[in-house]
Amino acid sequence: MKVLVCGKGGSGKSTVAALLAKSMAKRGFNVLVVDSDESNYGLHRQLGMELPSTLMDHFGGKKEMMGKMRRSFAGGEEASLFDEKWTFASIPAEATTEKDGIRLLAIGKIHDFGEGCACPMGALSRKFLDNLAVGNKEMVIVDTEAGIEHFGRGIEAGCDAILAVLDPSYESLLLSKKIAEISKKINKPLYFVLNRVDEERKAAMLEFLEKERVAAAIPEKKEIFRAGLAGDEFDFAVAEVEGLADLLTG
Ligand SMILES: Nc1ncnc2c1ncn2[C@@H]1O[C@H](COP(=O)(O)OP(=O)(O)O)[C@@H](O)[C@H]1O
Ligand SMILES: [Mg+2]
């Protein structure tokens, strides 16, 4: 199963992705976390890992990769970077870091100012996800960049379910509507994960959301806040995320 985690900036995408990864690994799954947010600098810390070198680097860096894609476009064929279908086993080891049944793969990072548009990363994310075969007891969790730009690039097409992380804000509610429209169009199941909510906030948000889509409601938690702030590993379980894992595997 491939799960896409999306939402507005700061809503808790990386937090939910990391906690879900840990929960799935504990259940005996081989988990691949794909960091497709080029401006994410906390996810690897939440997983207790070092930053891997990127998939973009594996393909020779941005320029090289774009050149290759352009050449195959010019040849009248769909741009392809992959000669064959990949499985978990064929993902290059040097492009991932690994800990306790979880592998982290970063698509690309903006190393320097002025490297400009993130589109090549969107393209590479899409190609990679389309090309990856996922077996039994394997799960891919894609942590996406903020907003819905990545939807336009078709990353979601290669996924089996979409998790929209919504904090109690107008922006998140607005985004939830857009994501719902898109998920309907491409016919993918969509779940909402409410984050940083108490009962009162949850009830207020439910006035604007389709209730049956709400898969979890995570309160503000001291241990998440502390670990997030300090850049420490999430070495605790969160009951609401366990419930989400039950739902996804059940
Ligand atoms: N339920 C929560 N309780 C306390 N802190 C949270 C919670 N969810 C997220 N945070 C904190 O908020 C910050 C932003 O979360 P993050 O997952 O990085 O957002 P995003 O990936 O959507 O930009 C992090 O420091 C994280 O630790
Ligand atoms: Mg993030």
Side-chain angles (χ1 to χ4, degrees):
M1 188 181 206
K2 298 176 194 163
V3 178
L4 192 81
V5 183
C6 61
K8 85 172 191 33
S11 62
K13 296 178 297 297
S14 296
T15 299
V16 169
L19 288 169
L20 182 62
K22 294 218 157 218
S23 170
M24 296 305 299
K26 251 187 283 147
R27 288 158 198 249
F29 277 74
N30 273 326
V31 182
L32 176 73
V33 177
V34 178
D35 182 0
S36 74
D37 180 357
E38 67 282 354
S39 57
N40 235 344
Y41 280 93
L43 179 64
H44 66 289
R45 306 295 303 254
Q46 295 170 337
L47 292 167
M49 295 182 194
E50 296 299 318
L51 259 187
S53 119
T54 67
L55 189 63
M56 182 84 72
D57 287 339
H58 172 78
F59 284 114
K62 191 183 278 188
K63 261 200 189 132
E64 184 67 25
M65 187 200 91
M66 288 311 282
K68 192 171 177 194
M69 286 178 83
R70 240 179 259 119
R71 284 193 293 279
S72 62
F73 269 131
E77 51 192 280
E78 162 78 331
S80 70
L81 286 165
F82 301 94
D83 299 329
E84 54 190 24
K85 204 85 181 157
W86 278 13
T87 62
F88 272 36
S90 41
I91 298 169
E94 93 269 2
T96 63
T97 44
E98 186 164 7
K99 191 180 181 186
D100 304 332
I102 303 174
R103 284 175 83 184
L104 173 65
L105 175 123
I107 297 294
K109 291 283 169 202
I110 296 172
H111 300 290
D112 304 303
F113 283 108
E115 269 197 46
C117 171
C119 289
M121 305 208 201
L124 180 54
S125 300
R126 192 181 68 227
K127 297 278 170 205
F128 168 72
L129 288 170
D130 281 350
N131 189 61
L132 181 67
V134 180
N136 254 342
K137 281 278 175 180
E138 290 179 343
M139 186 176 228
V140 180
I141 300 171
V142 187
D143 184 18
T144 65
E145 65 187 290
I148 53 166
E149 288 80 4
H150 47 86
F151 278 101
R153 298 184 198 129
I155 295 182
E156 71 291 343
C159 288
D160 304 303
I162 300 168
L163 291 183
V165 181
L166 309 175
D167 64 359
S169 70
Y170 174 68
E171 248 182 300
S172 275
L173 292 177
L174 207 61
L175 201 62
S176 76
K177 299 266 179 294
K178 291 189 185 165
I179 294 173
E181 276 170 32
I182 295 169
S183 73
K184 202 185 247 168
K185 232 181 252 169
I186 58 171
N187 202 20
K188 301 275 171 175
L190 167 67
Y191 301 101
F192 295 143
V193 176
L194 311 188
N195 191 25
R196 308 188 102 138
V197 293
D198 54 16
E199 282 307 317
E200 189 186 347
R201 288 178 169 194
K202 181 181 168 188
M205 289 176 80
L206 285 179
E207 289 176 33
F208 298 91
L209 297 170
E210 296 164 86
K211 282 184 193 52
E212 59 284 358
R213 289 197 193 280
V214 176
I218 307 171
E220 174 78 31
K221 296 234 182 202
K222 261 200 197 106
E223 63 260 55
I224 300 180
F225 173 77
R226 289 212 137 270
L229 190 67
D232 289 340
E233 180 175 0
F234 289 167
D235 53 2
F236 45 80
V238 170
E240 292 79 6
V241 177
E242 296 303 321
L244 180 64
D246 288 339
L247 186 122
L248 290 173
T249 52

